[in-house]
Amino acid sequence: MRMSIELSAEFEQRLDALVMHSGMTKAALLHEFVEQGLTDLETEYRAVAVLERVRTGQEPIYSAAAVRKALELNH
């Protein structure tokens, strides 16, 4: 899928500098940026969802002592 976005002058300058330092093309850098950003956002939204389930009592929580005991880590 092709998309078109408008970049601020500052962002474009930063991207140009990164192109010079990395040797990668703008397209490759933007592709990497979007992939990593999407992964980060997915992780963040999953974490927020788990936190909400914890807050509402829908997600079990365990103490460190309980985890150590369940994993037989107590010495």
Side-chain angles (χ1 to χ4, degrees), residues 4-72:
S4 177
I5 60 169
E6 187 174 325
L7 304 176
S8 69
E10 178 189 352
F11 188 90
E12 191 166 7
Q13 288 172 349
R14 291 170 60 194
L15 183 59
D16 288 339
L18 194 52
V19 165
M20 295 291 288
H21 288 96
S22 71
M24 296 173 68
T25 65
K26 279 185 182 182
L29 284 169
L30 289 170
H31 186 268
E32 187 175 315
F33 178 73
V34 169
E35 266 191 12
Q36 186 60 51
L38 183 58
T39 297
D40 291 349
L41 283 172
E42 288 168 336
T43 300
E44 181 180 339
Y45 281 105
R46 281 192 301 270
V48 168
V50 169
L51 180 58
E52 186 57 30
R53 289 194 309 271
V54 167
R55 285 184 180 149
T56 60
Q58 299 170 352
E59 186 78 24
I61 56 173
Y62 306 94
S63 68
V67 171
R68 283 192 301 275
K69 183 176 180 181
L71 296 175
E72 299 179 359

